[in-house]
Amino acid sequence: MNRNKIKYLIFAFLSALIIYINYTPAIKSVYQTPNYYKFFEGEKVKFNFNLPLKVGFYTDRQGIVKINNDESGNNILNLDKPFSVETLNCGKVNINFRLFGIFPIKSIYVDVIPTIKVIPGGDSIGVKLNTKGALVVGYSDIIGTDDKIYSPYREGKIQIGDIILEINNIKINSADDITDIINNQKDTMITLKISRKGNIVYSKLHPVLAKDDKKYKLGLWVRDHTAGIGTLTFYTEDKKYYAALGHAITDIDTGDILSVNNGQIMKSKITSVSKGKRSSPGELRGIFLEEVDTIGDIEKNTEYGIYGKIINPIGISLKPIPIGYQSQVIEGPAKILTTIDNTGVKEFDIQIIKKVDQKNPNQKGMIIKIVDKELLDKTGGIVQGMSGSPIIQNGKLIGAVTHVFVNDPTKGYAVYAEWMINEMENLHHDENVFKN
């Protein structure tokens, strides 16, 4: 047999072996593990693949992690037994898996960071938000004093979702400001400064004198504030920055995220519960008094909740606990903290029935199911007003409730806590907000 044929047979054999190895169920299960893990400094995590494989673990840096108490960076382990990964120092390291220590099958990137601790919430809060400018939510034609129908918004090409920031260089803080300005200007052309999908545009149009009340109008329905009930997720022990809701406050008509001019969160007293049913989401109903019960200010309204600083104590005395990142979340039992009556924050059982590995922020990181009998009896599951309820697993705050499934109120979505942490850090990037 000539040398070329031998080389060909060896190549074919090795290729077939690699293909076979890569497609065996055991190897495929290793492939399905996340490519990225974030751990706290000093943390010890156990893994159990329960697979009949011998795998080599090789790290590209020493002193960051040790595997099964070995810091050498070269470990050959049988995956049919549990093993541990312990973090030693902050830093970043790649861990390469090689079957029998030879064939590369997986690479995992590990980021070791300082421990972040927060005080979990669960308190029911009232939320009042005043928008920056006035949000256009609808149109209305005007009957003029000459009995003709006018649509001045058409002249200005105003769109639903536009935010009117200024009229003739005068700042708009409320809907009443628009009425006052255009009636002082009377029938002269006005210039609107508008925020449209994040871009600034200018528009000119003529207000019309209405026949019914003799006032000048633009033919626009606008909104300048909103209010409702939600749940506090967590706050920092030292500087008292808070996070709540887990999702944005949006306009009920346009669905747009409302910009913040100013706002407050307040202590809320639950007055009643509308139980959730299939195709009919339930609701927590409550009352709050702005003059008496203000807790803090709203500084930011984002896709992942509202953020600000607590001004007055809120009366809960829970101890700080670590944040858990998505790589530390496991499908299975967990708890939520929430308020459904006037007995205060309570802990309820849930199941995390699915987790989604996310490289980029998204509100739908986990699917959860309420399994606590008391909570099911009182609310039917997840109801409006529970958004922001913190989720606790293995002593860590791992996320917050965000949405309910309309056709099954026992189930809903949750956002990972790390995306809420990112939002808070972005808001106060020049401060150490998690100093404990």
Side-chain angles (χ1 to χ4, degrees):
M1 186 179 294
N2 62 46
R3 185 175 297 176
N4 288 335
K5 193 169 184 179
I6 292 173
K7 287 181 178 180
Y8 174 79
L9 290 173
I10 293 174
F11 174 77
F13 171 76
L14 291 175
S15 299
L17 179 62
I18 291 171
I19 292 171
Y20 170 76
I21 289 172
N22 285 341
Y23 283 91
T24 59
I27 297 296
K28 288 174 72 174
S29 67
V30 173
Y31 279 150
Q32 291 170 359
T33 60
N35 296 319
Y36 174 75
Y37 283 88
K38 188 178 284 188
F39 295 124
F40 294 123
E41 185 179 13
E43 186 173 10
K44 191 171 185 178
V45 183
K46 291 185 177 180
F47 292 89
N48 187 6
F49 286 92
N50 195 26
L51 298 173
L53 295 174
K54 180 174 283 190
V55 173
F57 293 80
Y58 303 91
T59 59
D60 61 357
R61 290 182 64 190
Q62 291 188 3
I64 305 296
V65 300
K66 61 180 179 180
I67 300 173
N68 266 9
N69 298 315
D70 186 345
E71 296 182 43
S72 68
N74 284 322
N75 307 81
I76 303 293
L77 301 176
N78 290 313
L79 293 190
D80 58 350
K81 297 179 181 179
F83 67 94
S84 65
V85 175
E86 186 175 354
T87 59
L88 304 174
N89 296 289
C90 292
K92 299 174 181 178
V93 63
N94 284 300
I95 301 177
N96 296 303
F97 290 31
R98 295 179 190 170
L99 185 63
F100 312 125
I102 301 173
F103 301 103
I105 55 174
K106 182 77 176 180
S107 181
I108 290 177
Y109 179 75
V110 175
D111 187 3
V112 182
I113 62 172
T115 300
I116 293 175
K117 289 187 176 182
V118 296
I119 296 177
D123 299 78
S124 178
I125 56 173
V127 179
K128 180 182 177 183
L129 184 148
N130 297 313
T131 64
K132 186 179 295 183
L135 176 70
V136 177
V137 297
Y139 303 127
S140 177
D141 293 331
I142 303 165
I143 300 176
T145 53
D146 57 2
D147 289 324
K148 293 182 179 179
I149 297 176
Y150 293 89
S151 305
Y153 58 86
R154 295 182 187 275
E155 176 189 9
K157 298 180 180 179
I158 308 299
Q159 299 179 11
I160 302 295
D162 282 352
I163 302 172
I164 302 174
L165 301 175
E166 296 178 4
I167 296 180
N168 289 350
N169 297 318
I170 302 173
K171 189 176 179 180
I172 301 300
N173 293 310
S174 69
D176 290 339
D177 290 343
I178 297 176
T179 301
D180 293 341
I181 293 169
I182 63 176
N183 278 278
N184 287 334
Q185 300 289 329
K186 299 192 182 300
D187 60 352
T188 58
M189 179 177 281
I190 60 172
T191 301
L192 278 61
K193 181 181 179 180
I194 292 170
S195 173
R196 179 176 294 162
K197 296 180 180 179
N199 299 314
I200 299 297
V201 299
Y202 292 87
S203 178
K204 294 181 181 291
L205 70 162
H206 289 89
V208 171
L209 186 64
K211 180 179 179 179
D212 56 355
D213 58 6
K214 301 299 187 292
K215 288 186 177 181
Y216 285 92
K217 298 180 179 180
L218 302 179
L220 298 174
W221 290 102
V222 299
R223 183 170 290 123
D224 58 15
H225 69 276
T226 189
I229 299 291
T231 301
L232 182 72
T233 306
F234 63 81
Y235 66 94
T236 63
E237 185 178 25
D238 184 42
K239 297 186 181 296
K240 298 295 188 293
Y241 291 117
Y242 75 84
L245 301 189
H247 62 71
I249 300 174
T250 58
D251 181 74
I252 192 170
D253 294 306
T254 67
D256 293 336
I257 296 177
L258 296 176
S259 59
V260 178
N261 184 27
N262 57 68
Q264 297 82 37
I265 61 171
M266 290 146 278
K267 296 178 183 177
S268 172
K269 179 180 178 181
I270 301 299
T271 56
S272 64
V273 178
S274 172
K275 197 170 181 179
K277 300 176 182 178
R278 182 180 176 88
S279 302
S280 179
E283 180 183 10
L284 295 177
R285 299 190 182 98
I287 58 173
F288 50 88
L289 299 175
E290 182 180 353
E291 298 81 6
V292 178
D293 296 328
T294 297
I295 298 171
D297 294 329
I298 299 174
E299 299 179 23
K300 190 176 183 182
N301 176 33
T302 81
E303 284 188 71
Y304 311 103
I306 58 173
Y307 302 84
K309 192 163 189 177
I310 291 175
I311 299 170
N312 298 312
I314 54 179
I316 62 175
S317 56
L318 296 175
K319 294 181 179 180
I321 63 174
I323 289 290
Y325 286 86
Q326 60 176 295
S327 59
Q328 299 164 313
V329 176
I330 58 174
E331 294 174 358
K335 306 277 188 180
I336 63 167
L337 300 177
T338 198
T339 304
I340 57 173
D341 53 33
N342 291 319
T343 60
V345 179
K346 288 186 178 181
E347 190 177 76
F348 299 101
D349 292 318
I350 67 167
Q351 285 280 330
I352 298 171
I353 59 177
K354 184 178 181 181
K355 60 168 288 191
V356 179
D357 294 322
Q358 296 177 335
K359 292 183 179 179
N360 299 307
N362 191 292
Q363 293 176 2
K364 299 176 180 180
M366 295 173 272
I367 296 177
I368 63 172
K369 180 179 176 66
I370 306 296
V371 295
D372 194 283
K373 188 175 185 303
E374 180 186 357
L375 188 57
L376 291 171
D377 287 344
K378 290 190 175 182
T379 68
I382 300 168
V383 296
Q384 295 178 35
M386 286 172 59
S387 294
S389 298
I391 301 172
I392 313 296
Q393 188 181 64
N394 296 326
K396 297 181 176 68
L397 195 156
I398 61 170
V401 178
T402 56
H403 298 88
V404 62
F405 287 8
V406 175
N407 290 325
D408 184 356
T410 67
K411 297 179 182 178
Y413 287 112
V415 62
Y416 288 123
E418 65 186 271
W419 304 138
M420 299 182 75
I421 291 294
N422 288 350
E423 292 294 320
M424 184 174 281
E425 289 181 325
N426 291 338
L427 178 60
H428 303 286
H429 57 84
D430 56 341
E431 297 189 51
N432 183 6
V433 299
F434 297 107
K435 181 180 177 182
N436 290 299

